[in-house]
């Protein structure tokens, strides 16, 4: 059964991504194991999803217990894990209400709908949401339109209207786009897919002030930056601002599909029937979310993770000066190494051959998203593999 010749073919899957010829069959903590038994240190972790690493015991236990207790009463009824998770999220944030969904895009769709509803109720039908060049908010039609990814304005045209684009860290470009139809500003505190480009604290505070002055909602997409990824429970908290709406995804389920839309009482204006979904607040995924939050909120967890993140950033800076590369960006365990050349994909491929998984979100940089509980020894091991991968590719180019 487990013999490689018995492996199925991928020919029946839609070819939506160029996937390498490696098949992972098992994961444990920071490590993935392929069908041939090789191990890989995973610094992608399902695109910043597996915040506690692969198959962590707390999630395995929580999901097994919930699966045996109650899988799905359906969205027409309350369930204990959803109520507990919503209480925990509101208790540890400045938001009052939560709507659960399954993906980041779905949570962002909800945020867009909530802002448009709020505009109908409080701003004479204002519905435009200022978003940002190079931003990323998901792959539904509206969230693709809100994204500023090059090429996405024509792929699947026509776009959903109402998402004018400003430039990150340039408040004048936001101000210029605000008119009577504007209802909100939406951004990632750190643009992840763009290559880990942080919004500055000053810019976030200027945005908060601008939104207050012009009666606009401030929406933060923390699908990638939230749930401990930056060393804080939420990235915006480190900058002392309170947004009106926040979305979470990725790390929230630690590998299971759950996302969340959070709003302050003043912004939370859905009436019964306005929003929903078959899997919203499903108890199985909410049980996973509870296991994740309980772990992150335990004494010392985030502080330790922040320290490890600083260790990785320092090691990357040392590597950069040794090998003549560029800047290190990001916070916590959402880091990017600027390469100064377009060797990112080649380095990622070489690193994988050596047993390290890293991602090149843009050809000129590498993104590193290890599990939040990665050990100091694993960081040392990963940096050694990364040094070799970069040096090998540089040598092949020379
Ligand atoms: C990944 C991501 C999304 C989309 O989440 P999906 O679960 O893939 O729909 C949205 N916003 C940001 C910032 C993301 O990083």
């Amino acid at each position: 059964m487990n013999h490689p010749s018995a492996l199925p073919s991928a020919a029946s899957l839609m070819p939506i991504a160029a996937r390498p010829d490696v098949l992972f069959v098992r994961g444990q903590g920071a490590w993935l194991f392929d069908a041939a038994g090789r191990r890989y240190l995973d610094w992608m972790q399902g695109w910043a999803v597996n915040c506690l690493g692969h198959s962590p015991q707390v999630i395995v236990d929580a999901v097994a217990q919930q699966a045996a207790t109650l899988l799905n009463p359906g969205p027409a009824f309350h369930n204990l894990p959803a109520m507990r998770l919503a209480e925990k999220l509101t208790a540890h944030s400045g938001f009052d209400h939560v709507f659960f969904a399954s993906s980041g895009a779905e949570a962002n769709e909800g945020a867009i709908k909530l802002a448009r509803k709020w505009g109908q109720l409080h701003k004479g039908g204002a519905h435009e949401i200022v978003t940002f060049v190079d931003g990323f908010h998901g792959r539904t039609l509206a969230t693709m339109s809100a994204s500023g990814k090059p090429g996405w304005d024509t792929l699947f045209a026509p776009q959903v209207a109402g998402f004018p684009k400003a430039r990150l860290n340039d408040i004048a470009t936001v101000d210029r786009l605000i008119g009577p139809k504007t209802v909100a500003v939406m951004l990632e505190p750190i643009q992840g897919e763009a290559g880990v480009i942080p919004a500055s604290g000053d810019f976030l505070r200027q945005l908060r002030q601008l939104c207050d002055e012009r009666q606009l909602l401030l929406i933060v997409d923390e699908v990638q930056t939230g749930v401990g990824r930056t060393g804080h429970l939420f990235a915006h908290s480190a900058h002392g601002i309170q947004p009106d709406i926040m979305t979470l995804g990725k790390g929230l389920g630690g590998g299971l599909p759950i996302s969340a839309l959070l709003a302050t009482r003043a912004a939370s204006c859905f009436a019964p029937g306005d929003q929903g979904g078959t899997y919203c607040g499903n108890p199985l995924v909410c049980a996973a979310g509870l296991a994740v939050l309980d772990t992150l909120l335990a004494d010392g967890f985030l502080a330790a993770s922040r320290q490890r993140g600083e260790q990785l950033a320092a090691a990357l800076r040392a590597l950069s000066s040794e090998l003549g590369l560029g800047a290190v960006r990001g916070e916590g365990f959402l880091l990017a190494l600027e390469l100064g050349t377009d060797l990112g994909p080649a380095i990622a491929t070489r690193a994988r051959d050596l047993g390290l998984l890293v991602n090149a979100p843009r050809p000129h940089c590498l993104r590193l998203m290890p599990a939040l509980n990665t050990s100091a020894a694993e960081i040392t091991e990963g940096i050694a593999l990364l040094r070799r991968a970069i040096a090998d590719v540089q040598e092949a180019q020379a």
Side-chain angles (χ1 to χ4, degrees):
M1 236 338 239
N2 287 328
H3 190 270
S5 67
L7 291 175
S9 152
S12 299
L13 291 168
M14 282 195 193
I16 54 122
R19 294 184 172 123
D21 194 20
V22 53
L23 181 66
F24 295 118
V25 293
R26 191 165 69 82
Q28 192 61 60
W31 299 90
L32 271 175
F33 300 83
D34 71 12
R38 284 199 62 203
R39 68 174 203 162
Y40 301 76
L41 183 60
D42 186 2
W43 280 1
M44 292 169 70
Q45 288 291 350
W47 263 319
V49 164
N50 316 319
C51 57
L52 303 179
H54 291 282
S55 297
Q57 200 59 48
V58 285
I59 294 184
V60 171
D61 290 347
V63 166
Q65 197 188 349
Q66 189 58 45
T69 307
L70 178 63
L71 265 183
N72 179 35
F77 303 100
H78 284 306
N79 73 73
L80 284 171
M83 291 153 73
R84 289 194 181 116
L85 183 57
E87 264 187 1
K88 195 150 288 195
L89 284 169
T90 54
H92 290 91
S93 71
F95 301 95
D96 302 300
H97 288 157
V98 185
F99 166 75
F100 292 115
S102 307
S103 70
E106 198 184 357
N108 284 334
E109 282 276 337
I112 292 163
K113 286 162 70 175
L114 189 63
R116 287 188 174 194
K117 177 85 193 280
W118 189 87
Q120 290 175 3
L121 291 175
H122 303 295
K123 259 200 129 209
H127 60 274
E128 284 188 358
I129 300 177
V130 176
T131 56
F132 289 84
V133 173
D134 289 328
F136 181 82
H137 299 294
R139 292 176 174 275
T140 61
L141 277 176
T143 55
M144 282 186 80
S145 306
S147 300
K149 203 167 157 141
W152 275 19
D153 48 341
T154 50
L155 188 65
F156 312 125
Q159 286 196 301
V160 176
F163 298 100
K165 301 285 178 301
R167 296 204 158 272
L168 197 71
N169 294 324
D170 185 347
I171 196 73
T173 65
V174 181
D175 198 30
R176 211 173 294 144
L177 293 175
I178 296 173
K181 289 185 190 157
T182 313
V183 72
V185 177
M186 177 173 182
L187 82 164
E188 304 156 84
I190 299 176
Q191 288 186 334
E193 298 306 306
V196 189
I197 313 291
S200 72
D202 280 345
F203 182 66
L204 289 169
R205 287 183 289 271
Q206 287 168 344
L207 275 183
R208 179 66 274 178
Q209 195 185 344
L210 188 64
C211 287
D212 287 342
E213 286 166 6
R214 310 292 285 271
Q215 206 205 347
L216 305 173
L217 298 174
L218 180 59
I219 305 171
V220 289
D221 175 350
E222 294 232 25
V223 169
Q224 188 160 147
T225 54
V227 196
R229 181 50 50 189
T230 66
H232 306 273
L233 197 53
F234 310 113
H236 74 265
S237 322
H239 302 295
I241 58 153
Q242 176 58 49
D244 303 289
I245 295 172
M246 171 172 76
T247 54
L248 300 174
K250 296 205 163 92
L252 183 57
L256 275 86
I258 179 171
S259 63
L261 161 65
L262 296 92
T264 61
R265 198 170 301 281
S268 178
C269 60
F270 280 146
D274 286 351
Q275 179 67 329
T278 302
Y279 296 117
C280 64
N282 173 283
L284 187 73
V285 293
C286 288
L290 275 169
V292 165
L293 276 193
D294 283 341
T295 304
L296 264 59
L297 291 168
D299 244 6
F301 181 94
L302 284 175
S305 183
R306 247 189 331 267
Q307 260 184 17
R308 294 282 89 82
E310 279 160 23
Q311 179 196 344
L312 177 56
L316 288 171
R317 279 191 292 270
L319 194 61
S320 176
S321 54
E322 179 194 337
L323 298 177
L325 310 169
V328 174
R329 289 189 297 269
E331 269 181 75
F333 273 130
L334 179 56
L335 295 169
L337 172 60
E338 191 61 40
L339 297 166
T341 58
D342 279 355
L343 293 178
I347 292 169
T349 299
R350 180 63 189 144
R352 190 177 67 236
D353 291 343
L354 294 172
L356 173 71
L357 303 180
V358 296
N359 155 252
R362 297 286 160 106
H364 52 83
C365 68
L366 298 176
R367 181 172 46 168
L368 306 114
M369 306 168 283
L372 302 183
N373 52 6
T374 294
S375 71
E378 284 159 350
I379 291 173
T380 305
E381 192 167 349
I383 285 291
L385 290 168
L386 186 59
R387 171 189 283 114
R388 217 180 118 194
I390 297 172
D392 285 356
V393 170
Q394 284 179 333
E395 214 164 284
Q397 292 291 312

